[in-house]
Amino acid sequence: MNSNVENLPPQVLRLVYKEVSALAADPPEGIKIYPSEEDITELHTAIEGPEGTPFAGGVFRMRLVLGKDFPAAPPKGYFLTKIFHPNVGHKGEICVNVLKRDWKAELGLRHVLLTIKCLLIHPNPESALNEEAGRLLLEDYAEYASRARLLTEIHAMGGSGGTSGNPPEPADGPQPKKHAGDPNKRVVSAAATAATATGVNGSSGNSSSSSNSNIVAKKKTDKKRALRRL
C-alpha cells in the first residue's frame, strides 16, 4: 500500500508519532513493535501466540495501516504470517469489530493490538473470513485446533528464513593445500631435503678422494720409470 504520510495533517502525524514511540518504549505484553522511520502510517508488529491456544509457541508478524482518514476511520490490520483462524482471510486481512463499527478515535493503537491478540484466544466464528476455520471451530474443535497448530508449526516457528544450522558458505578463491601451513610438515620436509643433500655431497666427496689417490699413485709410478732409465 502507498504511504499516507502526505495525506494526514501535521497534528495527526504528531499524535501518531507520539503514540508509536510510546508503544515501542513500552509495548503490550507478548507484542513487539517495529516502527518505520520512513513511513509512520504503517506499523509492523510481532505477536506471540497465547498459551493454551493452538497458536502457542508461534510468533505472528502483523501490520497496521493508517488510512488518509485516520483517526476518524479505523486502521486496517493484516497478518503477514500465515495463520488458520476464522477471523483472518486468505490474504491476511483481519476482521474484528474494533477495526470496523466499534472503532473510536480515542481508542488508540495499543487497544487495537491488544484486541487482535485477544482474537487469538477467543475467535469469533460469526464474522468469519475463513469459513472453513469458522465451521470447524463450531463443529469439530479438535480438528480446528489440529489444523491451526499445524500451520503455526510450519509458518510461525522459525521458518526457512532462519540461518541456524546452515553450513557456512565456502570462502571465495583457491583453498590452501592440506598441511601447507603445518610447521611440523615443513620441518620434516626440510630435514628430508638436508639428508638428501648430505648424501649427495658425501658421495661426491668420496669420488673426489678416490680420484686424487689415483693421480698420486700414477705420479709415483711415472717417477720410478724415469729413474730406471737413468
Side-chain angles (χ1 to χ4, degrees):
M1 292 187 180
N2 295 329
S3 172
N4 288 304
V5 171
E6 297 180 356
N7 297 324
L8 293 175
Q11 63 270 23
V12 173
L13 289 175
R14 284 194 296 268
L15 291 174
V16 170
Y17 180 80
K18 182 178 180 180
E19 184 173 8
V20 170
S21 298
L23 280 171
D26 182 24
E29 183 179 357
I31 301 177
K32 292 183 179 181
I33 310 297
Y34 302 99
S36 171
E37 296 180 358
E38 298 178 357
D39 187 0
I40 197 66
T41 67
E42 184 169 315
L43 181 64
H44 285 250
T45 70
I47 300 178
E48 297 177 5
E51 292 297 327
T53 72
F55 313 108
V59 177
F60 299 87
R61 295 183 299 114
M62 192 205 72
R63 70 173 182 172
L64 289 178
V65 179
L66 313 184
K68 62 181 182 179
D69 296 325
F70 183 86
K76 293 182 179 180
Y78 302 88
F79 271 98
L80 303 178
T81 302
K82 194 169 183 179
I83 183 173
F84 187 73
H85 190 287
N87 306 114
V88 181
H90 296 291
K91 295 182 179 180
E93 61 274 27
I94 301 172
C95 179
V96 63
N97 288 337
V98 74
L99 297 180
K100 293 185 175 181
R101 62 176 181 268
D102 291 346
W103 169 254
K104 296 178 182 179
E106 58 269 22
L107 290 178
L109 300 178
R110 180 180 294 269
H111 180 78
V112 172
L113 293 175
L114 288 172
T115 301
I116 293 174
K117 183 180 178 181
C118 287
L119 195 65
L120 298 180
I121 304 173
H122 303 291
N124 182 10
E126 296 179 359
S127 59
L129 291 178
N130 186 329
E131 295 182 358
E132 183 181 11
R135 178 182 61 80
L136 288 175
L137 178 63
L138 293 174
E139 299 176 0
D140 189 350
Y141 181 82
E143 179 63 20
Y144 161 76
S146 177
R147 293 277 297 276
R149 181 66 184 171
L150 178 61
L151 262 69
T152 297
E153 293 175 350
I154 294 174
H155 299 286
M157 293 183 175
S160 59
T163 58
S164 177
N166 290 341
E169 292 290 334
D172 292 333
Q175 299 298 306
K177 294 181 179 180
K178 191 176 181 181
H179 304 310
D182 190 342
N184 294 328
K185 294 293 180 180
R186 293 200 299 268
V187 170
V188 172
S189 177
T193 303
T196 302
T198 301
V200 171
N201 292 336
S203 175
S204 176
N206 293 337
S207 177
S208 298
S209 298
S210 177
S211 177
N212 290 336
S213 298
N214 293 336
I215 293 172
V216 171
K218 184 177 181 183
K219 286 182 178 180
K220 288 181 179 181
T221 302
D222 292 341
K223 186 175 181 180
K224 287 180 180 180
R225 288 177 179 175
L227 290 173
R228 286 175 184 173
R229 290 173 184 172
L230 294 175

